[in-house]
Amino acid sequence: MFDFPRLILHSRKTDAVRRFHPWVFSGAIKKTEGELRDGAIVEVYDDSGEFLAVGHYGTGSIAVKIFAYQPLTDLEQLFLSKLTTAYQLRQQLGFVDCSHTNCYRLVNAEADGFPGLIIDWYNGVAVIQAHSVGMYEQRKLLAQFLQEIYGSRLKAVYDKSASVLFKQTAANEYLLGEPCTGEVLESGNRFVIDWETGQKTGFFIDQREHRALLSRYASGNKILNTFCYSGGFSVYALQANARQVDSVDSSSKAIELMKENVKLNDFDEANHHVFMADVFTFLKDCDADYDIVVLDPPAFAKNLAARHHAVMAYKRLNQLAIAKLRPGGLLFTFSCSQVVVPEYFNGAVMAAAIEMGRPTQILHHLTQPADHPVSIYHPEGLYLKGLVLKVG
Ligand code: SAH
């Protein structure tokens, strides 16, 4: 058996762990035994000595990210079995070896039993992003297991954790295979993926189903895609014969990727207009004749303290967008701020509609797709929400 450091919780702070919530906050700890360091594997006990869980210790406000509720006997076996289960779910969802979509999320952190770990699959290249030192320390083992699971379908494993975990002191690196660039298919559309210098792991895979929904409404329409990044929504709209697509982002790298993707899919570039601009400014100045506007901003709030300002920013942004829709137009509006829960987001959008005084119907309530599952015990895992509104 192993001899892991132990954390003993205050008697009134054990309920969440017993209900399988995967986080222990530092304030719940009564005392510690053994030497603790960021990333260490630790055991969690109640104050009568009953074993509760095992996880990775962290020095932030989340003191433990739990990955098992039984004593640990074989870490490697446990991680291989969790990764295999995650893979089997994506198989069940139809993503593995799919002919028209070959990028998907393989591991979605807490929901797949790997708190602090993201693994995205890009047509043969797995991009790992660890958000905890404990998971980072398992990266080589994870790369080895990815190879066991995927065999010759795996060309490379790129670890992109350093940019979120250490910034200055460590570098992102290939754990397996040679440095390479990527191209994927999503619903038959082609996209170049730049995991090394792009945002997140390279692509916003979580918007796949919402892009497909846009394509159902796009034909013949004039569409504004704001915060467009690499042009996911724009490509689907052009594929579905939109009359005109205007794409806006403030990042030059995003604009470069988006132009590449529009070219790759052989669309008539005359139908696509590109603007490198701040969306708030753009929306104040642009024409008010769009059939559809897509609003997919970055997270406005990273913590609870910033939530109020974020809600106000969503209201302002949605108000500006509603003003640019012709009567009968559609607004696709999203929020990826985890702390802005659906009730708050819907409230902000409703307040925007009230300000504009236009009849407004909700056509679709949107959320993250099944390859970004949410553990029922960890509602904090829900971050993406959206609405499609018809504005009269
Ligand atoms: N809709 C995209 C993902 C959006 S990510 C997709 O489907 O892939 C958010 C994007 O907003 C990033 O590309 C970022 O560069 C851009 N951005 C952030 N703040 C902005 C602002 N004020 N004006 C314009 N773009 C902004």
Side-chain angles (χ1 to χ4, degrees), residues 226-227 248 250 277-286 295 297-298 300 310 312-321 324:
T226 65
F227 307 97
V248 188
S250 56
D278 170 68
V279 168
F280 287 85
T281 312
F282 182 91
L283 280 171
K284 281 182 198 135
D285 300 338
C286 68
L295 286 183
F300 283 159
M312 299 311 285
Y314 285 120
K315 179 185 167 220
R316 198 154 59 87
L317 182 63
N318 280 274
Q319 210 174 313
L320 288 169
K324 300 303 170 169

Side-chain angles (χ1 to χ4, degrees), residues 4-298:
F4 296 116
R6 294 177 172 210
L7 303 185
I8 293 97
L9 305 190
H10 289 293
S11 58
R12 288 202 306 274
K13 297 283 187 183
T14 59
D15 288 359
V17 180
R18 292 187 203 279
R19 289 195 303 255
F20 307 113
H21 193 282
W23 296 342
V24 174
F25 289 96
S26 55
I29 299 170
K30 182 176 179 186
K31 63 176 179 177
T32 65
E33 293 170 4
E35 199 178 328
L36 293 174
R37 61 165 184 87
D38 205 356
I41 293 176
V42 295
E43 289 180 329
V44 181
Y45 288 83
D46 76 4
D47 68 353
S48 70
E50 187 191 337
F51 171 90
L52 295 173
V54 56
H56 286 130
Y57 181 72
T59 48
S61 72
I62 302 175
V64 188
K65 291 191 170 178
I66 294 169
F67 56 76
Y69 294 88
Q70 298 84 35
L72 194 58
T73 50
D74 184 339
L75 178 84
E76 296 198 5
Q77 191 49 45
L78 177 69
F79 274 29
L80 177 59
S81 134
K82 280 173 183 284
L83 198 59
T84 305
T85 304
Y87 173 77
Q88 286 166 344
L89 171 60
R90 277 63 185 179
Q91 225 167 8
Q92 185 180 17
L93 296 173
F95 290 115
V96 174
D97 304 326
C98 170
S99 60
H100 54 79
T101 297
N102 53 28
C103 64
Y104 54 89
R105 177 151 292 186
L106 172 67
V107 170
N108 193 40
E110 281 80 359
D112 284 299
F114 283 108
L117 181 73
I118 297 295
I119 305 180
D120 286 338
W121 175 262
Y122 293 115
N123 186 22
V125 178
V127 181
I128 295 183
Q129 200 159 52
H131 293 259
S132 74
V133 174
M135 282 300 168
Y136 180 71
E137 290 179 351
Q138 302 302 332
R139 66 198 183 285
K140 291 187 179 150
L141 189 70
L142 290 163
Q144 181 194 318
F145 290 158
L146 286 167
Q147 193 160 43
E148 275 180 40
I149 291 170
Y150 283 98
S152 61
R153 291 171 297 170
L154 181 70
K155 296 191 282 270
V157 178
Y158 184 63
D159 168 38
K160 205 182 176 182
S161 311
S163 40
V164 288
L165 267 182
F166 306 111
K167 300 201 167 69
Q168 313 297 332
T169 54
N172 298 324
E173 60 177 343
Y174 285 86
L175 299 173
L176 212 143
E178 296 298 317
C180 50
T181 55
E183 189 186 312
V184 300
L185 279 178
E186 193 189 77
S187 313
N189 296 305
R190 296 169 68 186
F191 291 97
V192 287
I193 309 295
D194 187 344
W195 41 78
E196 291 186 31
T197 60
Q199 297 183 30
K200 305 276 170 142
T201 64
F203 194 52
F204 289 84
I205 304 175
D206 54 2
Q207 288 288 22
R208 177 199 312 113
E209 291 177 4
H210 306 147
R211 294 173 185 140
L213 184 63
L214 174 67
S215 66
R216 278 168 42 192
Y217 291 103
S219 180
N221 281 328
K222 181 178 175 187
I223 298 173
L224 174 61
N225 180 17
T226 65
F227 307 97
C228 63
Y229 183 51
S230 59
F233 284 99
S234 304
V235 165
Y236 277 62
L238 289 164
Q239 179 64 44
N241 297 318
R243 173 164 51 89
Q244 180 181 323
V245 177
D246 293 352
S247 301
V248 188
D249 201 287
S250 56
S251 142
S252 59
K253 175 75 193 176
I255 298 285
E256 180 196 315
L257 285 168
M258 181 192 43
K259 284 184 173 168
E260 215 176 326
N261 287 329
V262 168
K263 201 176 240 156
L264 195 64
N265 288 280
D266 281 334
F267 298 131
D268 184 349
E269 289 179 41
N271 297 338
H272 185 226
H273 303 175
V274 177
F275 301 89
M276 192 167 113
D278 170 68
V279 168
F280 287 85
T281 312
F282 182 91
L283 280 171
K284 281 182 198 135
D285 300 338
C286 68
D287 292 339
D289 62 349
Y290 287 101
D291 299 297
I292 303 178
V293 175
V294 179
L295 286 183
D296 184 24

